[in-house]
Amino acid sequence: MLTRKQLELLQFIQQRMSESGVPPSFDEMKDALDLRSKSGIHRLITALEERGFLRRLPNRARAIEIIRIPEPITGKQPPAPQAEVRRFTPSVVEGGRSKSVPPRPTTTQVFDEDGRSVMVPVMGRIAAGTPISAIQNQSHSIAMSPDFLAGGEHYALEVRGDSMIEAGILDGDLVVIRKQDTAQTGDIIVALIDDEEATLKRLRRRGSSIALEAANPAYETRVLGPDRVQIQGRLVSLVRRY
């Protein structure tokens, strides 16, 4: 599943190649997606390559080949905007969950057959290290005691990376997240950065800025403007398999 920005970029590249047969330049992609720098485009293209949607051809300038198109583009969608329009509105939301999917009921109401465990959906992977794209579609669910959950809706993510090891969060752990868009300083949160990267970090507020702090001295704290960070949930529990 693609994030909104990844889908927007793939749609823009497809539109330009169908019109002229030539992929857009990185500057044109940056302007079309309203990004601050071309580094964001590099990250998006790398993510699309890793997911098998496109590939860059070596030793050729602006050489990008689309390998496959996800269903949201191949389905009945409105025509893509022209290049001068800076933003697209494909039928997806941040984290890759379709707007057509009705909201899930709160997980405190979704029980397994014995009526004693709450079923929490596992929604993909989250980075505790270099940010990666998330959140994906539900892959499966885990049963948890209500004692380990807060009130409200929850989801789980598989941790990738080691930036939170001093908080006791290891690579391969499952973190259980209470879905919310606000948090307190010191909370460990799922943060979506620039609508394209998601990461698990401790929240610190520095004046009007937001600091995303690792629990590993090998990683630097990222300080970002509040308009660049969306809080997508707060850590409430952790599941580890041995």
Side-chain angles (χ1 to χ4, degrees):
M1 195 69 181
L2 300 181
T3 65
R4 180 169 62 86
K5 285 291 186 182
Q6 291 165 4
L7 185 56
E8 287 178 3
L9 180 59
L10 190 61
Q11 186 180 32
F12 179 60
I13 294 172
Q14 181 198 36
Q15 172 205 336
R16 289 296 300 273
M17 292 184 70
S18 65
E19 291 173 350
S20 65
V22 179
S25 69
F26 274 53
D27 282 321
E28 290 170 331
M29 296 182 213
K30 175 179 70 69
D31 292 341
L33 271 67
D34 199 20
L35 297 181
R36 293 174 175 82
S37 69
K38 289 187 285 188
S39 63
I41 295 297
H42 282 282
R43 288 194 297 269
L44 291 172
I45 287 180
T46 298
L48 289 169
E49 279 191 294
E50 291 173 348
R51 287 159 176 77
F53 289 97
L54 59 78
R55 66 180 170 215
R56 284 176 282 195
L57 303 179
N59 304 318
R60 292 174 58 188
R62 294 174 58 170
I64 297 175
E65 179 182 9
I66 294 179
I67 299 173
R68 63 189 180 97
I69 301 297
E71 185 176 347
I73 296 180
T74 58
K76 294 182 179 179
Q77 297 288 326
Q82 298 301 312
E84 62 268 21
V85 178
R86 293 173 66 86
R87 283 196 178 273
F88 301 110
T89 54
S91 183
V92 294
V93 298
E94 293 83 350
R97 299 172 78 179
S98 172
K99 288 181 180 177
S100 63
V101 177
R104 293 182 179 276
T106 57
T107 53
T108 51
Q109 297 176 350
V110 182
F111 293 88
D112 65 1
E113 293 180 356
D114 64 17
R116 294 188 296 272
S117 298
V118 178
M119 302 306 296
V120 177
V122 179
M123 301 301 297
R125 295 176 176 175
I126 185 71
T130 303
I132 58 174
S133 298
I135 299 169
Q136 303 167 13
N137 279 347
Q138 177 179 348
S139 59
H140 61 286
S141 297
I142 57 172
M144 295 195 65
S145 167
D147 296 337
F148 293 95
L149 302 174
E153 184 178 356
H154 297 78
Y155 59 89
L157 295 165
E158 183 181 354
V159 173
R160 282 288 176 261
D162 61 356
S163 75
M164 299 301 291
I165 56 174
E166 292 188 3
I169 302 171
L170 308 181
D171 183 71
D173 286 348
L174 280 178
V175 288
V176 180
I177 306 297
R178 183 187 187 274
K179 188 176 180 181
Q180 58 189 70
D181 57 11
T182 60
Q184 301 296 318
T185 290
D187 287 344
I188 296 176
I189 64 166
V190 172
L192 185 68
I193 304 170
D194 294 334
D195 287 337
E196 62 183 76
E197 300 174 338
T199 189
L200 185 74
K201 292 291 184 290
R202 193 178 299 278
L203 172 69
R204 302 288 186 193
R205 298 193 184 274
R206 298 184 179 178
S208 60
S209 298
I210 291 177
L212 300 178
E213 181 182 273
N216 182 337
Y219 293 85
E220 294 183 354
T221 296
R222 298 182 69 180
V223 181
L224 304 165
D227 59 322
R228 297 183 60 190
V229 179
Q230 297 177 41
I231 297 171
Q232 295 199 317
R234 174 177 62 86
L235 175 70
V236 296
S237 293
L238 182 144
V239 179
R240 180 171 300 153
R241 296 183 177 91
Y242 292 93

